[in-house]
Amino acid sequence: MTTHHQQHLLKRLLIWRVKHISDRRFILILSGIIGIATGLAALAMRSFTHFIQWLLDDKLAQTITYSFYFILPMLGFAIVYLVKKYVIRHDVNHGIPSILYAVAHQKGIMKRFQAYGSILTAPITVGFGGSVGLEGPMVVTGAGISSNICRFFHINQSNRMLLLACACAAALAAIFKVPIAAILFAIEVFGLDLTLSSLIPLFIASLCGVFTSYFFFGSEVLIPITITRAFSLQGIPFYILLGVVGGLMSAYFTYVYEKMNAAFKKLTSPWLKIVVGGAILGLLIYIMPPLYGEGHEIINHLKEGHPELSLSSNIFGWDLSNAWVIILLLAALTFAKVIATSLTFGAGGVGGIFSPMLFMGGVMGNCLARIINEFPILGYKAELPNFTLVGMTALMTGVLHAPLTAVFLIAEVTGGYSLLVPAMLTAAVSFLVAKYFNKYSVYTMELGRKGELISQNKDQSILTLMDFDQVVEHNFTPVYTDMKLREVVYNAVRESNRNIYPVLDREKGTLQGVILLDDIRHLIFETNYYDKIPAVELMQKPPAIIEMGKDKMSTVMDKFQHTGAWNLPVVKDGKYVGFISKSKLLSIYRRKLIYFTQ
């Protein structure tokens, strides 16, 4: 079938769709399709990862000693690099920040390889011991699938962003079987405007993701939890303490993650990154084996009260019958996990921070519970499963700044609301502490600092979505510094319907000033001055200059507000580009507002 024939069929399909299916109904249909497709992608990624782990743990482990495991991460990073370079031929950005970047900079359009790039690279990273999770890559894969479906059907920008959020909700729902928490995750992290028209597609996508997961995996969940003792008022101070510790550890997580990523960016050679990151990570895994991979297994051991099943392989050979030895090892794991995760990313691995965050929070909560239980004088016995689970809530809230997601994730995972009150209390405290140190979450800090974040602040979101190309006007007649009044009148005033003229350097094209029609109106009929007054004597400095590529749209709005001007010149690298008028800016803003909220 020729390309022309394919395009003809596609055109007929799109015309048929417009005639027979309304936009709103079509979005509902697509949300279901995207939910199922994302669930299947999650299945493929998990299966590929388990296959690699089976090969390495069950087959390779029979022929080599455990000490050789420290080279596996380096080997995995090398394979990932080769896959990215020769198979995908693109750099696969890890995690949810890549989706937020697409929303902020590319109108929700993601490149085609993002629909499959993570499926090929994340399982290799995790399977070979990279200390990251699969949740982030699953979300990115779902978003990539959603974006490409939207491009195929020519979906508009607002619905495209909604369907990206649907894919993210479906991915999280498929992983943890938590449809409500998945919807809240999409709303909190992606800053969706919560309306009925956005909520129903999220419901459908989330449910389709869950149904797909149930169909292939049954009722199995990643972190099965059974609550043995409900919350009591006696535990309030200790859950507050857990929230404080969680907030502080969240700040530590974000700080280490950011600093280590910055350090690896200074290494220019990808092979040097692989060697340095792989070697250090391999050494950490050799010293603390639970750092290998996602770490869900140790969480399950800890909540069941059997830490020795995961900690017995420590190279120190310490006696695990001593409670303080276990506490020391758990504390070391808590602090080391984010280092291992950052090393994985720095070395070129592909993964997400969701699993490391749950690992770190669960180990932290379990460790704190054991410390509390070592002091009977406190008069309170901390339940290990409860503190393990609520510890995850604390760290997830502090790192992601998504308290509702964290709380309802716990409620749905446990199959009830017996821990809802302590989870809410801990999440609130953790959020306040973490927010004191970091204004933005680990997902949004880079875009947030640049003022490019799409958030639930509707004004800021709309300004972020506006492009300079939409608002810059170029039909202003320029005046040059070597001109006289005669040329200004005949070349600019007579030929232009504008009342402001940019004054430029003829050779360099740089902006020197502006001439206002009101300032020269009294000279237009004074012909004896035409050849005497140069343009430079007629011009004035503009009240403000907009720098294209540097100023954000919010900055442009601020400049108009502070100067009271109706037109401001735009320059790029010092050279004149055009003008932005307040009337056009506000007009486009109003259209975006209607478009964004419909």
PDB file of all heavy atoms in Angstrom, residues 358 361 388-398 403 406-407 410 423-424 426-427 430:
ATOM      1  N   LEU A 358       9.715   4.515  47.771  1.00  0.00           N
ATOM      2  CA  LEU A 358       8.957   3.596  48.620  1.00  0.00           C
ATOM      3  C   LEU A 358       9.897   2.745  49.469  1.00  0.00           C
ATOM      4  O   LEU A 358       9.634   2.491  50.651  1.00  0.00           O
ATOM      5  CB  LEU A 358       8.070   2.695  47.754  1.00  0.00           C
ATOM      6  CG  LEU A 358       6.928   3.379  46.996  1.00  0.00           C
ATOM      7  CD1 LEU A 358       6.172   2.362  46.153  1.00  0.00           C
ATOM      8  CD2 LEU A 358       5.974   4.076  47.950  1.00  0.00           C
ATOM      9  N   GLY A 361      11.341   5.019  52.217  1.00  0.00           N
ATOM     10  CA  GLY A 361      10.326   5.346  53.209  1.00  0.00           C
ATOM     11  C   GLY A 361       9.945   4.157  54.062  1.00  0.00           C
ATOM     12  O   GLY A 361       9.783   4.278  55.286  1.00  0.00           O
ATOM     13  N   THR A 388       6.009   0.803  58.654  1.00  0.00           N
ATOM     14  CA  THR A 388       6.627   0.593  57.340  1.00  0.00           C
ATOM     15  C   THR A 388       5.791   1.249  56.253  1.00  0.00           C
ATOM     16  O   THR A 388       6.306   1.958  55.380  1.00  0.00           O
ATOM     17  CB  THR A 388       6.769  -0.913  57.051  1.00  0.00           C
ATOM     18  OG1 THR A 388       7.573  -1.515  58.072  1.00  0.00           O
ATOM     19  CG2 THR A 388       7.418  -1.145  55.695  1.00  0.00           C
ATOM     20  N   LEU A 389       4.497   1.031  56.332  1.00  0.00           N
ATOM     21  CA  LEU A 389       3.593   1.559  55.311  1.00  0.00           C
ATOM     22  C   LEU A 389       3.454   3.078  55.404  1.00  0.00           C
ATOM     23  O   LEU A 389       3.535   3.789  54.397  1.00  0.00           O
ATOM     24  CB  LEU A 389       2.224   0.899  55.463  1.00  0.00           C
ATOM     25  CG  LEU A 389       1.367   0.797  54.206  1.00  0.00           C
ATOM     26  CD1 LEU A 389       2.086   0.003  53.141  1.00  0.00           C
ATOM     27  CD2 LEU A 389       0.034   0.143  54.527  1.00  0.00           C
ATOM     28  N   VAL A 390       3.262   3.573  56.612  1.00  0.00           N
ATOM     29  CA  VAL A 390       3.099   5.021  56.787  1.00  0.00           C
ATOM     30  C   VAL A 390       4.419   5.744  56.505  1.00  0.00           C
ATOM     31  O   VAL A 390       4.422   6.901  56.064  1.00  0.00           O
ATOM     32  CB  VAL A 390       2.564   5.338  58.197  1.00  0.00           C
ATOM     33  CG1 VAL A 390       2.446   6.844  58.409  1.00  0.00           C
ATOM     34  CG2 VAL A 390       1.202   4.690  58.404  1.00  0.00           C
ATOM     35  N   GLY A 391       5.537   5.068  56.720  1.00  0.00           N
ATOM     36  CA  GLY A 391       6.827   5.648  56.345  1.00  0.00           C
ATOM     37  C   GLY A 391       6.909   5.901  54.849  1.00  0.00           C
ATOM     38  O   GLY A 391       7.463   6.909  54.401  1.00  0.00           O
ATOM     39  N   MET A 392       6.345   4.979  54.067  1.00  0.00           N
ATOM     40  CA  MET A 392       6.273   5.204  52.618  1.00  0.00           C
ATOM     41  C   MET A 392       5.444   6.450  52.312  1.00  0.00           C
ATOM     42  O   MET A 392       5.803   7.256  51.443  1.00  0.00           O
ATOM     43  CB  MET A 392       5.637   3.994  51.929  1.00  0.00           C
ATOM     44  CG  MET A 392       6.422   2.717  52.015  1.00  0.00           C
ATOM     45  SD  MET A 392       5.531   1.399  51.141  1.00  0.00           S
ATOM     46  CE  MET A 392       6.456  -0.025  51.683  1.00  0.00           C
ATOM     47  N   THR A 393       4.341   6.605  53.020  1.00  0.00           N
ATOM     48  CA  THR A 393       3.494   7.790  52.837  1.00  0.00           C
ATOM     49  C   THR A 393       4.272   9.061  53.124  1.00  0.00           C
ATOM     50  O   THR A 393       4.192  10.042  52.374  1.00  0.00           O
ATOM     51  CB  THR A 393       2.274   7.718  53.775  1.00  0.00           C
ATOM     52  OG1 THR A 393       1.579   6.503  53.554  1.00  0.00           O
ATOM     53  CG2 THR A 393       1.338   8.888  53.545  1.00  0.00           C
ATOM     54  N   ALA A 394       5.032   9.040  54.217  1.00  0.00           N
ATOM     55  CA  ALA A 394       5.785  10.230  54.618  1.00  0.00           C
ATOM     56  C   ALA A 394       6.793  10.632  53.554  1.00  0.00           C
ATOM     57  O   ALA A 394       6.885  11.812  53.174  1.00  0.00           O
ATOM     58  CB  ALA A 394       6.492   9.965  55.946  1.00  0.00           C
ATOM     59  N   LEU A 395       7.550   9.663  53.052  1.00  0.00           N
ATOM     60  CA  LEU A 395       8.588  10.013  52.081  1.00  0.00           C
ATOM     61  C   LEU A 395       7.986  10.370  50.726  1.00  0.00           C
ATOM     62  O   LEU A 395       8.457  11.287  50.045  1.00  0.00           O
ATOM     63  CB  LEU A 395       9.592   8.870  51.932  1.00  0.00           C
ATOM     64  CG  LEU A 395      10.969   9.373  51.484  1.00  0.00           C
ATOM     65  CD1 LEU A 395      11.682  10.054  52.637  1.00  0.00           C
ATOM     66  CD2 LEU A 395      11.821   8.260  50.936  1.00  0.00           C
ATOM     67  N   MET A 396       6.945   9.653  50.324  1.00  0.00           N
ATOM     68  CA  MET A 396       6.301   9.971  49.052  1.00  0.00           C
ATOM     69  C   MET A 396       5.729  11.382  49.076  1.00  0.00           C
ATOM     70  O   MET A 396       5.857  12.143  48.111  1.00  0.00           O
ATOM     71  CB  MET A 396       5.185   8.963  48.761  1.00  0.00           C
ATOM     72  CG  MET A 396       4.624   9.070  47.352  1.00  0.00           C
ATOM     73  SD  MET A 396       3.159   8.043  47.099  1.00  0.00           S
ATOM     74  CE  MET A 396       3.729   6.469  47.678  1.00  0.00           C
ATOM     75  N   THR A 397       5.119  11.743  50.191  1.00  0.00           N
ATOM     76  CA  THR A 397       4.571  13.090  50.324  1.00  0.00           C
ATOM     77  C   THR A 397       5.670  14.136  50.261  1.00  0.00           C
ATOM     78  O   THR A 397       5.557  15.142  49.557  1.00  0.00           O
ATOM     79  CB  THR A 397       3.810  13.221  51.656  1.00  0.00           C
ATOM     80  OG1 THR A 397       2.716  12.307  51.666  1.00  0.00           O
ATOM     81  CG2 THR A 397       3.291  14.632  51.840  1.00  0.00           C
ATOM     82  N   GLY A 398       6.750  13.904  50.990  1.00  0.00           N
ATOM     83  CA  GLY A 398       7.821  14.890  51.050  1.00  0.00           C
ATOM     84  C   GLY A 398       8.576  15.049  49.749  1.00  0.00           C
ATOM     85  O   GLY A 398       8.944  16.163  49.368  1.00  0.00           O
ATOM     86  N   PRO A 403       0.496  14.679  48.726  1.00  0.00           N
ATOM     87  CA  PRO A 403      -0.023  13.997  49.920  1.00  0.00           C
ATOM     88  C   PRO A 403      -1.256  13.139  49.660  1.00  0.00           C
ATOM     89  O   PRO A 403      -1.397  12.065  50.245  1.00  0.00           O
ATOM     90  CB  PRO A 403      -0.338  15.153  50.876  1.00  0.00           C
ATOM     91  CG  PRO A 403      -0.464  16.364  50.003  1.00  0.00           C
ATOM     92  CD  PRO A 403       0.460  16.142  48.861  1.00  0.00           C
ATOM     93  N   ALA A 406      -0.235   9.837  48.144  1.00  0.00           N
ATOM     94  CA  ALA A 406       0.429   8.988  49.131  1.00  0.00           C
ATOM     95  C   ALA A 406      -0.573   8.359  50.095  1.00  0.00           C
ATOM     96  O   ALA A 406      -0.512   7.157  50.378  1.00  0.00           O
ATOM     97  CB  ALA A 406       1.460   9.814  49.904  1.00  0.00           C
ATOM     98  N   VAL A 407      -1.507   9.157  50.584  1.00  0.00           N
ATOM     99  CA  VAL A 407      -2.472   8.658  51.568  1.00  0.00           C
ATOM    100  C   VAL A 407      -3.387   7.605  50.953  1.00  0.00           C
ATOM    101  O   VAL A 407      -3.609   6.525  51.527  1.00  0.00           O
ATOM    102  CB  VAL A 407      -3.294   9.828  52.147  1.00  0.00           C
ATOM    103  CG1 VAL A 407      -4.469   9.306  52.965  1.00  0.00           C
ATOM    104  CG2 VAL A 407      -2.406  10.718  53.014  1.00  0.00           C
ATOM    105  N   ILE A 410      -1.826   4.181  50.174  1.00  0.00           N
ATOM    106  CA  ILE A 410      -1.762   3.313  51.350  1.00  0.00           C
ATOM    107  C   ILE A 410      -3.130   2.714  51.650  1.00  0.00           C
ATOM    108  O   ILE A 410      -3.262   1.525  51.945  1.00  0.00           O
ATOM    109  CB  ILE A 410      -1.247   4.109  52.570  1.00  0.00           C
ATOM    110  CG1 ILE A 410       0.155   4.648  52.291  1.00  0.00           C
ATOM    111  CG2 ILE A 410      -1.260   3.248  53.816  1.00  0.00           C
ATOM    112  CD1 ILE A 410       1.130   3.640  51.773  1.00  0.00           C
ATOM    113  N   ALA A 423      -1.875   8.018  58.416  1.00  0.00           N
ATOM    114  CA  ALA A 423      -1.252   8.361  57.135  1.00  0.00           C
ATOM    115  C   ALA A 423      -1.470   9.834  56.813  1.00  0.00           C
ATOM    116  O   ALA A 423      -0.552  10.532  56.355  1.00  0.00           O
ATOM    117  CB  ALA A 423      -1.819   7.477  56.022  1.00  0.00           C
ATOM    118  N   MET A 424      -2.680  10.339  57.056  1.00  0.00           N
ATOM    119  CA  MET A 424      -2.966  11.753  56.810  1.00  0.00           C
ATOM    120  C   MET A 424      -2.138  12.646  57.728  1.00  0.00           C
ATOM    121  O   MET A 424      -1.579  13.661  57.291  1.00  0.00           O
ATOM    122  CB  MET A 424      -4.458  12.023  57.013  1.00  0.00           C
ATOM    123  CG  MET A 424      -5.353  11.403  55.955  1.00  0.00           C
ATOM    124  SD  MET A 424      -7.114  11.607  56.316  1.00  0.00           S
ATOM    125  CE  MET A 424      -7.270  13.393  56.235  1.00  0.00           C
ATOM    126  N   THR A 426       0.734  11.942  59.271  1.00  0.00           N
ATOM    127  CA  THR A 426       2.147  11.866  58.910  1.00  0.00           C
ATOM    128  C   THR A 426       2.422  12.605  57.608  1.00  0.00           C
ATOM    129  O   THR A 426       3.437  13.306  57.476  1.00  0.00           O
ATOM    130  CB  THR A 426       2.572  10.387  58.776  1.00  0.00           C
ATOM    131  OG1 THR A 426       2.269   9.703  59.992  1.00  0.00           O
ATOM    132  CG2 THR A 426       4.050  10.272  58.495  1.00  0.00           C
ATOM    133  N   ALA A 427       1.518  12.457  56.645  1.00  0.00           N
ATOM    134  CA  ALA A 427       1.695  13.132  55.356  1.00  0.00           C
ATOM    135  C   ALA A 427       1.684  14.649  55.528  1.00  0.00           C
ATOM    136  O   ALA A 427       2.493  15.359  54.912  1.00  0.00           O
ATOM    137  CB  ALA A 427       0.604  12.694  54.383  1.00  0.00           C
ATOM    138  N   SER A 430       4.990  15.693  57.190  1.00  0.00           N
ATOM    139  CA  SER A 430       6.094  15.513  56.246  1.00  0.00           C
ATOM    140  C   SER A 430       6.063  16.578  55.155  1.00  0.00           C
ATOM    141  O   SER A 430       7.105  17.125  54.768  1.00  0.00           O
ATOM    142  CB  SER A 430       6.019  14.117  55.623  1.00  0.00           C
ATOM    143  OG  SER A 430       7.024  13.943  54.654  1.00  0.00           O
TER     144      SER A 430
END
